[in-house]
Amino acid sequence: MGSLNTQLSPVFGVKSLLIKIIGARKFLSVSLFWIVIFAPSVYGQPSKAAGSVEWDKLVDAAKKEGKVAVSLPASAEMKKQIEERFKKRFGIEVETFTARGSTAVRRMADEFKAGVRSFDLHLGGSSSIVSGMLDEGILDPIEPWLTLPEVKDPKQWWGGHLWVDNAKRFIYMTQAYLSEVIWYNTDLVKPNEIRSLDDFLNPKWKGKIGYLDPRTPGAGDSTWAFMWRVKGEEYLKKLVAQDLYLGRDQRILAESLAKGRVSVVIGNSYYSYLPFIKAGLPLKTLPTLKEGNYGTGGSGNLAIIKAPARPNSTKVFVNWLLGREGQEIASRALGQATRRLDVDTGFLKESGTIAAKDFMSVTDFLQIENQSEEKLDKVRDPASKFAHTVLK
Protein backbone atom coordinates (compact mmCIF):
# COMPACT_ATOMS: atom_id res chain seq x y z
CA MET A 1 0.00 0.00 0.00
CA GLY A 2 2.96 2.31 0.53
CA SER A 3 3.70 2.31 -3.17
CA LEU A 4 0.10 3.10 -4.05
CA ASN A 5 -0.08 6.01 -1.60
CA THR A 6 3.14 7.44 -2.93
CA GLN A 7 1.90 7.12 -6.49
CA LEU A 8 -1.33 9.00 -5.87
CA SER A 9 -0.21 11.62 -3.34
CA PRO A 10 0.36 14.41 -5.93
CA VAL A 11 -3.22 13.94 -7.13
CA PHE A 12 -4.66 14.25 -3.66
CA GLY A 13 -2.38 17.20 -2.86
CA VAL A 14 -3.80 19.20 -5.75
CA LYS A 15 -7.31 18.11 -4.89
CA SER A 16 -6.95 19.37 -1.31
CA LEU A 17 -5.76 22.76 -2.54
CA LEU A 18 -8.76 23.09 -4.85
CA ILE A 19 -11.18 22.12 -2.11
CA LYS A 20 -9.85 24.89 0.09
CA ILE A 21 -10.31 27.39 -2.71
CA ILE A 22 -13.79 26.55 -3.92
CA GLY A 23 -15.34 25.14 -0.74
CA ALA A 24 -16.43 21.74 0.46
CA ARG A 25 -19.69 21.88 -1.52
CA LYS A 26 -17.72 21.45 -4.73
CA PHE A 27 -15.85 18.35 -3.50
CA LEU A 28 -17.69 15.85 -5.67
CA SER A 29 -17.36 17.81 -8.90
CA VAL A 30 -13.67 18.48 -8.27
CA SER A 31 -13.07 14.82 -7.48
CA LEU A 32 -14.73 13.79 -10.72
CA PHE A 33 -12.68 16.36 -12.60
CA TRP A 34 -9.40 14.95 -11.33
CA ILE A 35 -10.51 11.37 -11.94
CA VAL A 36 -11.21 12.25 -15.58
CA ILE A 37 -7.90 14.08 -15.97
CA PHE A 38 -5.69 11.48 -14.31
CA ALA A 39 -7.47 8.21 -15.11
CA PRO A 40 -5.89 7.74 -18.56
CA SER A 41 -2.35 8.09 -17.26
CA VAL A 42 -2.76 6.13 -14.03
CA TYR A 43 -5.18 3.43 -15.11
CA GLY A 44 -5.41 3.60 -18.89
CA GLN A 45 -3.91 1.39 -21.56
CA PRO A 46 -1.92 3.21 -23.22
CA SER A 47 -2.57 6.99 -23.15
CA LYS A 48 -0.37 9.83 -24.44
CA ALA A 49 2.46 7.53 -25.44
CA ALA A 50 0.08 5.49 -27.59
CA GLY A 51 -0.74 8.60 -29.59
CA SER A 52 2.84 9.79 -29.86
CA VAL A 53 4.66 9.84 -33.17
CA GLU A 54 7.23 7.31 -31.94
CA TRP A 55 4.62 4.82 -30.76
CA ASP A 56 2.55 5.16 -33.91
CA LYS A 57 5.65 4.51 -36.02
CA LEU A 58 6.42 1.45 -33.93
CA VAL A 59 2.91 0.05 -34.40
CA ASP A 60 3.06 0.71 -38.15
CA ALA A 61 6.38 -1.12 -38.39
CA ALA A 62 4.95 -4.00 -36.36
CA LYS A 63 1.99 -4.28 -38.75
CA LYS A 64 4.42 -4.63 -41.66
CA GLU A 65 6.06 -7.57 -39.86
CA GLY A 66 2.59 -9.10 -39.73
CA LYS A 67 2.73 -11.08 -36.51
CA VAL A 68 4.46 -11.82 -33.22
CA ALA A 69 5.24 -15.38 -32.10
CA VAL A 70 4.68 -16.02 -28.41
CA SER A 71 5.18 -19.06 -26.19
CA LEU A 72 2.47 -19.18 -23.50
CA PRO A 73 1.49 -21.42 -20.57
CA ALA A 74 -0.81 -24.31 -21.45
CA SER A 75 -4.01 -22.30 -21.00
CA ALA A 76 -6.60 -22.42 -23.77
CA GLU A 77 -8.36 -19.42 -22.26
CA MET A 78 -5.21 -17.30 -22.23
CA LYS A 79 -4.39 -18.28 -25.81
CA LYS A 80 -7.87 -17.28 -26.98
CA GLN A 81 -7.98 -13.96 -25.10
CA ILE A 82 -4.51 -12.83 -26.11
CA GLU A 83 -4.93 -13.69 -29.78
CA GLU A 84 -8.28 -11.92 -30.01
CA ARG A 85 -7.61 -8.85 -27.88
CA PHE A 86 -4.16 -8.02 -29.25
CA LYS A 87 -5.30 -8.31 -32.86
CA LYS A 88 -8.37 -6.20 -32.13
CA ARG A 89 -6.28 -3.44 -30.58
CA PHE A 90 -3.36 -3.33 -33.01
CA GLY A 91 -4.34 -5.33 -36.10
CA ILE A 92 -1.37 -7.66 -35.58
CA GLU A 93 -1.61 -11.45 -35.48
CA VAL A 94 -0.37 -13.37 -32.45
CA GLU A 95 0.98 -16.80 -33.27
CA THR A 96 0.87 -18.71 -29.99
CA PHE A 97 2.47 -21.93 -28.84
CA THR A 98 1.02 -23.35 -25.62
CA ALA A 99 2.78 -26.08 -23.66
CA ARG A 100 4.42 -26.83 -20.33
CA GLY A 101 7.33 -24.48 -19.81
CA SER A 102 9.96 -27.23 -19.93
CA THR A 103 8.67 -28.44 -23.31
CA ALA A 104 8.48 -24.94 -24.81
CA VAL A 105 11.89 -23.90 -23.51
CA ARG A 106 13.58 -27.02 -24.86
CA ARG A 107 12.15 -26.33 -28.31
CA MET A 108 13.16 -22.65 -28.25
CA ALA A 109 16.70 -23.45 -27.12
CA ASP A 110 17.14 -26.15 -29.77
CA GLU A 111 15.83 -23.85 -32.51
CA PHE A 112 18.04 -20.97 -31.37
CA LYS A 113 21.14 -23.15 -31.59
CA ALA A 114 20.08 -24.21 -35.08
CA GLY A 115 19.71 -20.57 -36.15
CA VAL A 116 15.91 -20.73 -36.28
CA ARG A 117 13.80 -17.90 -34.83
CA SER A 118 10.25 -19.28 -34.63
CA PHE A 119 9.58 -17.52 -31.32
CA ASP A 120 9.98 -13.93 -30.21
CA LEU A 121 9.23 -14.21 -26.50
CA HIS A 122 8.16 -16.60 -23.77
CA LEU A 123 5.93 -16.37 -20.69
CA GLY A 124 6.24 -19.13 -18.12
CA GLY A 125 7.73 -20.51 -14.93
CA SER A 126 11.11 -19.39 -13.65
CA SER A 127 12.85 -22.75 -13.27
CA SER A 128 12.61 -23.77 -16.92
CA ILE A 129 13.56 -20.26 -18.10
CA VAL A 130 16.67 -20.13 -15.90
CA SER A 131 17.92 -23.62 -16.72
CA GLY A 132 16.88 -23.75 -20.37
CA MET A 133 17.25 -20.15 -21.57
CA LEU A 134 19.27 -17.96 -19.20
CA ASP A 135 21.99 -20.53 -18.72
CA GLU A 136 22.07 -21.09 -22.48
CA GLY A 137 22.65 -17.37 -23.14
CA ILE A 138 19.68 -16.96 -25.51
CA LEU A 139 17.88 -14.05 -23.80
CA ASP A 140 17.81 -10.31 -24.49
CA PRO A 141 17.85 -7.74 -21.66
CA ILE A 142 14.25 -6.64 -21.16
CA GLU A 143 14.46 -2.97 -20.16
CA PRO A 144 15.34 -1.67 -23.67
CA TRP A 145 12.04 -3.17 -24.86
CA LEU A 146 9.94 -1.18 -22.37
CA THR A 147 8.53 1.90 -24.09
CA LEU A 148 5.26 3.05 -22.54
CA PRO A 149 5.44 5.18 -19.37
CA GLU A 150 2.83 3.08 -17.58
CA VAL A 151 5.02 0.03 -18.15
CA LYS A 152 8.41 1.59 -17.43
CA ASP A 153 7.30 3.44 -14.29
CA PRO A 154 8.12 1.26 -11.22
CA LYS A 155 5.35 3.00 -9.26
CA GLN A 156 2.81 1.15 -11.40
CA TRP A 157 4.08 -2.16 -10.01
CA TRP A 158 3.84 -3.60 -6.50
CA GLY A 159 7.45 -3.82 -5.38
CA GLY A 160 8.67 -1.81 -8.36
CA HIS A 161 10.49 -3.82 -11.00
CA LEU A 162 11.23 -7.34 -9.74
CA TRP A 163 13.41 -9.88 -11.48
CA VAL A 164 14.01 -13.61 -11.35
CA ASP A 165 17.65 -13.53 -12.45
CA ASN A 166 20.46 -12.31 -10.21
CA ALA A 167 21.58 -9.77 -12.82
CA LYS A 168 18.08 -8.20 -12.79
CA ARG A 169 18.04 -7.91 -16.57
CA PHE A 170 16.66 -10.94 -18.37
CA ILE A 171 13.61 -12.47 -16.62
CA TYR A 172 10.88 -10.06 -15.52
CA MET A 173 8.45 -11.14 -12.79
CA THR A 174 4.98 -9.88 -13.72
CA GLN A 175 3.15 -11.77 -10.95
CA ALA A 176 3.44 -12.38 -7.20
CA TYR A 177 1.10 -14.55 -5.13
CA LEU A 178 0.87 -17.42 -2.70
CA SER A 179 0.58 -20.73 -4.47
CA GLU A 180 -2.71 -22.53 -5.00
CA VAL A 181 -1.44 -25.84 -6.34
CA ILE A 182 -3.05 -28.42 -4.02
CA TRP A 183 -6.53 -29.28 -5.33
CA TYR A 184 -9.00 -31.92 -4.17
CA ASN A 185 -12.16 -33.62 -5.36
CA THR A 186 -14.92 -32.50 -2.98
CA ASP A 187 -16.79 -35.79 -3.46
CA LEU A 188 -13.81 -37.73 -2.14
CA VAL A 189 -12.11 -35.45 0.39
CA LYS A 190 -13.40 -33.27 3.21
CA PRO A 191 -11.15 -30.20 3.60
CA ASN A 192 -10.69 -30.87 7.34
CA GLU A 193 -9.15 -34.27 6.50
CA ILE A 194 -5.99 -32.63 5.13
CA ARG A 195 -4.89 -29.72 7.28
CA SER A 196 -1.17 -30.50 7.40
CA LEU A 197 1.39 -32.00 5.07
CA ASP A 198 1.55 -34.89 7.55
CA ASP A 199 -2.04 -35.79 6.65
CA PHE A 200 -0.91 -36.88 3.18
CA LEU A 201 0.84 -39.79 4.92
CA ASN A 202 -2.47 -41.24 6.12
CA PRO A 203 -2.85 -44.77 4.63
CA LYS A 204 -6.29 -43.66 3.42
CA TRP A 205 -4.63 -41.65 0.65
CA LYS A 206 -2.28 -44.36 -0.60
CA GLY A 207 -2.53 -44.45 -4.40
CA LYS A 208 -4.91 -41.47 -4.30
CA ILE A 209 -2.43 -38.58 -4.53
CA GLY A 210 -1.63 -37.18 -7.96
CA TYR A 211 1.57 -35.18 -8.39
CA LEU A 212 2.95 -33.07 -11.24
CA ASP A 213 6.33 -34.76 -11.61
CA PRO A 214 8.86 -32.83 -9.45
CA ARG A 215 11.73 -34.04 -11.61
CA THR A 216 10.68 -31.52 -14.25
CA PRO A 217 10.47 -27.72 -13.88
CA GLY A 218 7.11 -26.37 -12.75
CA ALA A 219 4.79 -26.06 -9.78
CA GLY A 220 5.38 -29.73 -8.98
CA ASP A 221 9.08 -29.24 -8.31
CA SER A 222 8.40 -25.88 -6.64
CA THR A 223 6.02 -27.50 -4.12
CA TRP A 224 8.39 -30.44 -3.67
CA ALA A 225 11.15 -27.96 -2.82
CA PHE A 226 8.89 -26.28 -0.26
CA MET A 227 8.22 -29.67 1.36
CA TRP A 228 11.94 -30.49 1.25
CA ARG A 229 12.70 -27.27 3.11
CA VAL A 230 9.98 -27.38 5.78
CA LYS A 231 9.58 -31.16 6.32
CA GLY A 232 12.87 -32.71 5.24
CA GLU A 233 13.92 -35.72 3.19
CA GLU A 234 12.53 -38.39 5.52
CA TYR A 235 9.06 -36.91 5.08
CA LEU A 236 9.41 -36.98 1.29
CA LYS A 237 10.48 -40.64 1.38
CA LYS A 238 7.28 -41.44 3.27
CA LEU A 239 5.25 -39.39 0.80
CA VAL A 240 6.74 -41.31 -2.14
CA ALA A 241 5.81 -44.55 -0.36
CA GLN A 242 2.17 -43.47 -0.73
CA ASP A 243 2.38 -44.65 -4.36
CA LEU A 244 2.08 -41.21 -5.91
CA TYR A 245 0.30 -40.99 -9.25
CA LEU A 246 3.03 -39.07 -11.09
CA GLY A 247 2.32 -37.24 -14.34
CA ARG A 248 3.86 -34.64 -16.62
CA ASP A 249 0.71 -33.79 -18.53
CA GLN A 250 -1.22 -31.16 -16.57
CA ARG A 251 -4.53 -31.84 -18.31
CA ILE A 252 -4.39 -35.60 -17.69
CA LEU A 253 -3.73 -34.96 -14.00
CA ALA A 254 -6.62 -32.47 -13.83
CA GLU A 255 -8.94 -34.93 -15.58
CA SER A 256 -7.87 -37.70 -13.20
CA LEU A 257 -8.91 -35.55 -10.26
CA ALA A 258 -12.16 -34.43 -11.88
CA LYS A 259 -13.15 -38.04 -12.65
CA GLY A 260 -12.14 -39.33 -9.23
CA ARG A 261 -9.21 -41.51 -10.25
CA VAL A 262 -7.26 -39.66 -7.55
CA SER A 263 -8.54 -37.69 -4.57
CA VAL A 264 -6.02 -34.86 -4.50
CA VAL A 265 -3.43 -33.45 -6.91
CA ILE A 266 -0.30 -31.51 -5.98
CA GLY A 267 1.43 -29.21 -8.47
CA ASN A 268 -1.29 -28.33 -11.00
CA SER A 269 -2.34 -24.69 -11.36
CA TYR A 270 -5.85 -23.23 -11.65
CA TYR A 271 -5.81 -22.93 -15.44
CA SER A 272 -5.37 -26.70 -15.79
CA TYR A 273 -8.69 -27.21 -14.01
CA LEU A 274 -10.60 -24.37 -15.65
CA PRO A 275 -12.45 -26.48 -18.28
CA PHE A 276 -13.59 -28.89 -15.57
CA ILE A 277 -14.59 -26.09 -13.20
CA LYS A 278 -16.68 -24.51 -15.97
CA ALA A 279 -18.32 -27.90 -16.46
CA GLY A 280 -19.35 -27.87 -12.80
CA LEU A 281 -17.14 -30.74 -11.64
CA PRO A 282 -16.35 -30.93 -7.89
CA LEU A 283 -12.88 -29.37 -7.70
CA LYS A 284 -11.50 -26.95 -5.11
CA THR A 285 -8.19 -25.82 -3.67
CA LEU A 286 -7.29 -26.94 -0.17
CA PRO A 287 -7.19 -24.16 2.42
CA THR A 288 -3.63 -23.21 3.41
CA LEU A 289 -2.04 -26.01 5.40
CA LYS A 290 -0.49 -25.71 8.86
CA GLU A 291 3.01 -25.47 7.41
CA GLY A 292 2.10 -22.35 5.44
CA ASN A 293 2.91 -21.67 1.82
CA TYR A 294 5.51 -20.26 -0.54
CA GLY A 295 5.49 -17.20 -2.77
CA THR A 296 5.82 -17.42 -6.52
CA GLY A 297 5.46 -15.59 -9.81
CA GLY A 298 3.83 -18.70 -11.28
CA SER A 299 3.65 -18.71 -15.06
CA GLY A 300 4.04 -14.94 -15.30
CA ASN A 301 7.76 -14.60 -15.92
CA LEU A 302 8.67 -12.82 -19.15
CA ALA A 303 11.72 -13.60 -21.28
CA ILE A 304 12.61 -12.26 -24.75
CA ILE A 305 14.60 -14.34 -27.24
CA LYS A 306 17.89 -12.69 -28.18
CA ALA A 307 17.54 -10.73 -31.43
CA PRO A 308 13.92 -11.79 -32.12
CA ALA A 309 12.89 -12.15 -35.77
CA ARG A 310 10.07 -9.60 -35.40
CA PRO A 311 11.50 -6.85 -33.15
CA ASN A 312 8.80 -4.23 -33.70
CA SER A 313 5.92 -6.63 -33.08
CA THR A 314 7.78 -7.96 -30.06
CA LYS A 315 8.12 -4.48 -28.57
CA VAL A 316 4.45 -3.64 -29.12
CA PHE A 317 3.38 -6.96 -27.61
CA VAL A 318 5.66 -6.65 -24.58
CA ASN A 319 4.33 -3.17 -23.75
CA TRP A 320 0.74 -4.30 -24.22
CA LEU A 321 1.22 -7.46 -22.15
CA LEU A 322 2.79 -5.49 -19.29
CA GLY A 323 0.09 -2.82 -19.44
CA ARG A 324 -3.24 -2.94 -17.68
CA GLU A 325 -5.16 -4.79 -20.38
CA GLY A 326 -2.55 -7.50 -20.89
CA GLN A 327 -2.07 -8.10 -17.19
CA GLU A 328 -5.79 -8.29 -16.53
CA ILE A 329 -6.15 -10.93 -19.24
CA ALA A 330 -3.22 -12.94 -17.87
CA SER A 331 -4.45 -12.80 -14.26
CA ARG A 332 -7.97 -13.91 -15.14
CA ALA A 333 -6.96 -16.64 -17.59
CA LEU A 334 -4.22 -18.14 -15.42
CA GLY A 335 -5.87 -17.55 -12.05
CA GLN A 336 -2.61 -15.93 -10.95
CA ALA A 337 -2.01 -12.45 -9.52
CA THR A 338 -0.33 -9.63 -11.43
CA ARG A 339 1.86 -7.13 -9.60
CA ARG A 340 0.31 -4.19 -11.44
CA LEU A 341 -1.37 -1.86 -8.97
CA ASP A 342 -4.12 -0.80 -11.38
CA VAL A 343 -5.45 -4.34 -11.90
CA ASP A 344 -7.91 -5.78 -9.39
CA THR A 345 -6.89 -9.20 -8.06
CA GLY A 346 -9.44 -9.64 -5.27
CA PHE A 347 -11.52 -11.97 -7.44
CA LEU A 348 -8.69 -14.52 -7.42
CA LYS A 349 -9.55 -15.63 -3.88
CA GLU A 350 -12.30 -17.75 -5.44
CA SER A 351 -9.64 -19.82 -7.21
CA GLY A 352 -7.51 -20.19 -4.08
CA THR A 353 -4.94 -17.57 -5.12
CA ILE A 354 -3.80 -14.93 -2.63
CA ALA A 355 -2.34 -11.90 -4.40
CA ALA A 356 0.78 -10.72 -2.57
CA LYS A 357 0.01 -7.07 -3.27
CA ASP A 358 -3.36 -7.35 -1.52
CA PHE A 359 -2.16 -8.44 1.91
CA MET A 360 1.61 -8.56 2.48
CA SER A 361 4.75 -6.47 2.19
CA VAL A 362 7.33 -6.92 -0.54
CA THR A 363 9.94 -7.80 2.09
CA ASP A 364 7.77 -10.62 3.46
CA PHE A 365 7.10 -11.95 -0.03
CA LEU A 366 10.79 -12.01 -0.94
CA GLN A 367 11.50 -14.05 2.18
CA ILE A 368 9.07 -16.82 1.24
CA GLU A 369 9.38 -16.87 -2.57
CA ASN A 370 11.17 -19.85 -4.08
CA GLN A 371 11.32 -18.97 -7.77
CA SER A 372 14.25 -16.51 -8.04
CA GLU A 373 17.58 -17.64 -9.46
CA GLU A 374 19.05 -17.47 -5.96
CA LYS A 375 16.32 -19.68 -4.46
CA LEU A 376 16.56 -22.06 -7.40
CA ASP A 377 20.26 -22.56 -6.62
CA LYS A 378 19.86 -22.87 -2.85
CA VAL A 379 16.58 -24.75 -2.49
CA ARG A 380 14.99 -26.08 -5.64
CA ASP A 381 18.08 -27.57 -7.30
CA PRO A 382 19.09 -29.72 -4.29
CA ALA A 383 15.44 -30.68 -3.74
CA SER A 384 15.17 -31.69 -7.39
CA LYS A 385 18.31 -33.83 -7.14
CA PHE A 386 16.77 -35.62 -4.18
CA ALA A 387 13.58 -36.20 -6.20
CA HIS A 388 15.62 -37.97 -8.85
CA THR A 389 17.08 -40.32 -6.24
CA VAL A 390 13.78 -41.38 -4.63
CA LEU A 391 11.44 -41.38 -7.63
CA LYS A 392 11.98 -44.13 -10.17
Side-chain angles (χ1 to χ4, degrees):
M1 292 299 293
S3 298
L4 183 58
N5 291 335
T6 301
Q7 177 184 343
L8 297 181
S9 59
V11 178
F12 288 116
V14 174
K15 183 191 295 181
S16 299
L17 178 60
L18 286 171
I19 290 170
K20 290 178 182 180
I21 294 173
I22 67 175
R25 289 180 301 173
K26 301 288 187 179
F27 176 76
L28 181 58
S29 61
V30 174
S31 298
L32 291 173
F33 170 78
W34 283 106
I35 288 172
V36 171
I37 293 298
F38 280 88
S41 60
V42 177
Y43 299 106
Q45 163 73 29
S47 57
K48 287 184 180 179
S52 69
V53 174
E54 292 79 7
W55 178 259
D56 291 344
K57 285 182 178 178
L58 177 64
V59 173
D60 287 342
K63 288 179 179 178
K64 291 176 182 177
E65 290 173 348
K67 69 176 182 179
V68 60
V70 183
S71 167
L72 294 175
S75 164
E77 182 67 19
M78 187 177 194
K79 171 184 171 69
K80 176 177 180 291
Q81 290 292 327
I82 281 185
E83 288 177 349
E84 291 179 357
R85 299 279 286 277
F86 186 74
K87 183 177 181 180
K88 181 178 179 181
R89 179 167 289 279
F90 299 106
I92 302 168
E93 297 282 348
V94 183
E95 182 180 288
T96 57
F97 175 73
T98 56
R100 279 200 70 191
S102 54
T103 301
V105 163
R106 189 180 310 113
R107 175 176 167 180
M108 286 184 281
D110 289 345
E111 288 186 356
F112 187 92
K113 292 173 186 176
V116 178
R117 297 292 184 273
S118 296
F119 299 93
D120 298 305
L121 64 149
H122 171 67
L123 193 72
S126 67
S127 182
S128 56
I129 297 176
V130 170
S131 61
M133 302 178 83
L134 182 68
D135 291 349
E136 295 292 328
I138 68 172
L139 298 181
D140 241 20
I142 285 178
E143 286 199 85
W145 296 87
L146 307 183
T147 299
L148 297 178
E150 57 264 41
V151 171
K152 295 173 66 175
D153 183 1
K155 290 182 181 178
Q156 298 287 351
W157 298 88
W158 178 80
H161 294 312
L162 297 180
W163 305 85
V164 168
D165 59 296
N166 293 335
K168 303 185 187 307
R169 297 181 67 206
F170 299 101
I171 309 171
Y172 189 77
M173 187 193 306
T174 70
Q175 301 179 157
Y177 62 96
L178 265 63
S179 174
E180 78 317 343
V181 293
I182 303 179
W183 287 70
Y184 69 103
N185 185 308
T186 60
D187 288 344
L188 304 174
V189 180
K190 297 182 177 121
N192 61 1
E193 290 184 285
I194 304 177
R195 300 307 309 124
S196 165
L197 291 174
D198 292 329
D199 293 329
F200 285 121
L201 305 184
N202 188 321
K204 176 179 182 177
W205 308 124
K206 189 162 187 175
K208 296 295 182 179
I209 302 172
Y211 205 115
L212 185 63
D213 197 332
R215 293 168 295 184
T216 59
D221 93 282
S222 184
T223 307
W224 176 274
F226 173 74
M227 293 176 175
W228 179 84
R229 182 174 63 82
V230 301
K231 299 297 290 185
E233 294 181 353
E234 287 305 312
Y235 168 83
L236 288 173
K237 289 179 182 177
K238 294 176 182 177
L239 182 65
V240 170
Q242 287 286 72
D243 294 337
L244 300 178
Y245 176 72
L246 292 175
R248 297 187 179 185
D249 188 309
Q250 293 158 295
R251 181 175 176 83
I252 290 176
L253 280 171
E255 183 178 342
S256 297
L257 184 63
K259 294 186 175 180
R261 298 190 195 105
V262 293
S263 301
V264 62
V265 169
I266 302 171
N268 256 11
S269 295
Y270 165 79
Y271 59 84
S272 301
Y273 299 106
L274 188 55
F276 305 104
I277 293 171
K278 286 183 174 181
L281 295 175
L283 305 177
K284 284 188 177 179
T285 59
L286 275 175
T288 302
L289 302 182
K290 181 183 74 175
E291 291 81 3
N293 213 333
Y294 60 91
T296 182
S299 300
N301 300 293
L302 175 66
I304 301 171
I305 304 296
K306 184 180 290 185
R310 293 157 286 268
N312 298 298
S313 300
T314 299
K315 183 171 283 190
V316 172
F317 185 86
V318 165
N319 283 271
W320 174 80
L321 177 69
L322 299 186
R324 181 178 180 181
E325 183 178 22
Q327 284 302 288
E328 192 166 73
I329 289 171
S331 282
R332 290 186 176 275
L334 295 176
Q336 300 174 1
T338 177
R339 294 193 303 107
R340 278 199 71 93
L341 293 170
D342 55 3
V343 176
D344 173 49
T345 47
F347 71 93
L348 288 169
K349 292 177 183 177
E350 296 178 5
S351 63
T353 300
I354 304 173
K357 71 185 179 71
D358 291 340
F359 85 106
M360 68 191 304
S361 71
V362 178
T363 300
D364 288 342
F365 175 79
L366 294 177
Q367 288 179 344
I368 65 170
E369 64 84 14
N370 74 351
Q371 73 142 30
S372 64
E373 185 180 1
E374 179 184 6
K375 297 292 180 65
L376 288 170
D377 290 341
K378 292 181 178 179
V379 179
R380 286 175 65 172
D381 281 354
S384 177
K385 289 175 182 176
F386 179 70
H388 280 81
T389 66
V390 296
L391 293 169
K392 305 298 181 184

